[in-house]
Amino acid sequence: MLYYAQEQEVKNAVEGVKSKAEYTGPDPKLAASLEKEILDTNPGVRWDDVAGLNESKRLLQEAVVLPLWMPQYFQGIRRPRRGVLMFGPPGTGKTLLAKAVATECGTTFQNVSCSSLCAKWYGESERLVRCLFDLARAHAPSTIFIDEIDSLCSARGASGEHEVSRRVKSELLVQIDGLNNSTKNTAGKPVTVLAATNFPSGLDEALRRRLEKRIYIPLPDFESRKELIKINLKSIALAPDLDIDQVARRTEGYSGDDPTNICRDASLNGMRRKIAGKNPDEIKNMSEAEILEIPVMMDNLLEALVKIQPTVSRGDIERHEKWFSEFGST
């Protein structure tokens, strides 16, 4: 990880750039509307908030964070990546990683969904795409995060593809192509596209080429699941007999979201037993200490494990691993 003193210095410089940033493009009203919807100057997610995924963090830091910290080094053939694609099963932490990247390196974070770039008037969707990238340059250094990018940029030429959809894809490709090659982007002020998808095989091949770094975000391993369970249970009372190692071993094949759901359900089991047989008035009159001091017991977690099954199938894993072996770029 990077040193705190350096981090603070860059963040101060970035804040100075942001305070002076101003959109000067041809669509100020459109830009103001888009900015209000997607702009997040501080997502507030740190690396430590993301359990495990150390290799994914390292790759993202190298591709996105270091070019901001070492602009003199990332020149010429080492110029910053135009785009990074994170792919993998749902619930593995792709969105959380994108927010952590933006927070750690102090960039402006633009959280874009398909609906943000869709408009009912002819030609307006393409204007929104251009405006998005103009905004990113105005607020540079910045990160454009496009979640579920497969819904916006699926393979062109597919049956039933609408002309509007094809034009939007083409505009997006043109804009990504021009990132960090323009004289408008001075050293230390890169604009990076971070994209995430659960269906990488459905992406347009031209977009795949532009997203030069393609990082597989796998299911959490034992240590990651253990860390995730600790993070989820850290703010509530725990029984002395709680064996987190055993729970982590029994969640093999679960996505990052699944242990969170197990912990959430287990945290409610004690309350369910506490109020069993009580009438509404008795429940309302329970003291705060009586409610908050109900500990999570091992039996609560084991009961939740029986009820909550993994949300990712073996077929999903094999599909992602096959795509990674063909197109991964780590």
Side-chain angles (χ1 to χ4, degrees):
M1 295 298 170
L2 303 172
Y3 293 107
Y4 175 77
Q6 291 177 308
E7 181 180 4
Q8 214 44 52
E9 182 182 341
V10 170
K11 282 187 178 179
N12 291 339
V14 168
E15 285 172 5
V17 170
K18 286 177 185 175
S19 64
K20 298 175 184 176
E22 185 177 348
Y23 173 82
T24 56
D27 294 303
K29 290 185 179 178
L30 194 64
S33 174
L34 190 61
E35 190 173 22
K36 185 177 179 181
E37 182 180 352
I38 67 170
L39 201 63
D40 187 353
T41 54
N42 183 18
V45 179
R46 316 296 303 194
W47 288 129
D48 292 342
D49 297 326
V50 184
L53 297 176
N54 292 327
E55 180 62 10
S56 300
K57 291 175 186 175
R58 184 190 69 79
L59 292 168
L60 284 167
Q61 189 175 49
E62 181 185 288
V64 184
V65 182
L66 290 183
L68 179 67
W69 289 79
M70 305 164 62
Q72 68 280 7
Y73 181 79
F74 287 89
Q75 301 290 329
I77 193 64
R78 301 190 191 109
R79 65 185 176 275
R81 306 279 182 175
R82 292 173 299 181
V84 178
L85 175 68
M86 294 182 290
F87 67 95
T92 50
K94 296 183 287 295
T95 302
L96 204 61
L97 278 170
K99 291 182 177 182
V101 167
T103 302
E104 290 292 340
C105 61
T107 62
T108 302
F109 187 71
Q110 294 178 295
N111 195 347
V112 183
S113 64
C114 182
S115 61
S116 304
L117 300 177
C118 292
K120 62 181 180 178
W121 304 113
Y122 185 87
E124 191 167 352
S125 293
E126 297 96 293
R127 286 175 58 208
L128 279 167
V129 172
R130 287 194 298 272
C131 191
L132 168 67
F133 282 81
D134 285 343
L135 267 175
R137 292 185 183 96
H139 290 279
S142 58
T143 302
I144 301 172
F145 176 58
I146 307 176
D147 205 1
E148 306 294 348
I149 195 169
D150 53 281
S151 62
L152 182 66
C153 210
S154 56
R156 287 171 295 175
S159 59
E161 182 187 28
H162 196 276
E163 180 194 353
V164 173
S165 175
R166 188 169 63 252
R167 290 202 314 270
V168 171
K169 294 172 194 175
S170 298
E171 183 62 38
L172 182 63
L173 295 174
V174 168
Q175 292 295 332
I176 294 176
D177 223 14
L179 286 181
N180 304 325
N181 293 326
S182 171
T183 54
K184 293 180 181 179
N185 291 313
T186 59
K189 295 176 61 179
V191 176
T192 303
V193 173
L194 262 181
T197 181
N198 302 327
F199 300 97
S201 57
L203 290 177
D204 186 84
E205 60 183 18
L207 176 69
R208 187 175 68 221
R209 180 182 67 80
R210 285 164 173 81
L211 298 175
E212 301 157 309
K213 200 78 168 173
R214 296 175 289 279
I215 302 172
Y216 179 39
I217 312 297
L219 294 181
D221 58 15
F222 170 76
E223 290 298 330
S224 298
R225 296 194 303 274
K226 183 177 172 180
E227 186 181 345
L228 189 59
I229 292 166
K230 286 180 179 178
I231 289 172
N232 281 298
L233 295 178
K234 68 180 179 181
S235 62
I236 54 179
L238 304 178
D241 69 332
L242 204 67
D243 186 352
I244 290 178
D245 283 23
Q246 182 184 346
V247 178
R249 280 192 293 271
R250 293 186 61 168
T251 52
E252 177 73 32
Y254 282 65
S255 75
D257 273 349
D258 295 334
T260 300
N261 290 332
I262 289 169
C263 292
R264 182 174 296 158
D265 193 80
S267 70
L268 296 172
N269 281 340
M271 178 271 297
R272 290 168 184 148
R273 289 175 181 158
K274 195 81 172 179
I275 67 172
K278 296 183 183 292
N279 62 44
D281 287 334
E282 290 173 324
I283 294 172
K284 291 176 186 177
N285 292 327
M286 290 175 68
S287 67
E288 184 176 337
E290 192 178 4
I291 295 170
L292 296 180
E293 291 178 6
I294 301 172
V296 174
M297 304 175 68
M298 188 63 186
D299 286 347
N300 300 147
L301 283 163
L302 295 177
E303 186 180 336
L305 272 166
V306 172
K307 294 191 292 184
I308 298 174
Q309 302 304 314
T311 54
V312 180
S313 70
R314 185 62 221 168
D316 289 336
I317 302 300
E318 290 172 355
R319 174 169 55 85
H320 283 98
E321 289 177 349
K322 181 176 183 294
W323 197 88
F324 176 63
S325 67
E326 293 179 353
F327 304 111
S329 171
T330 58

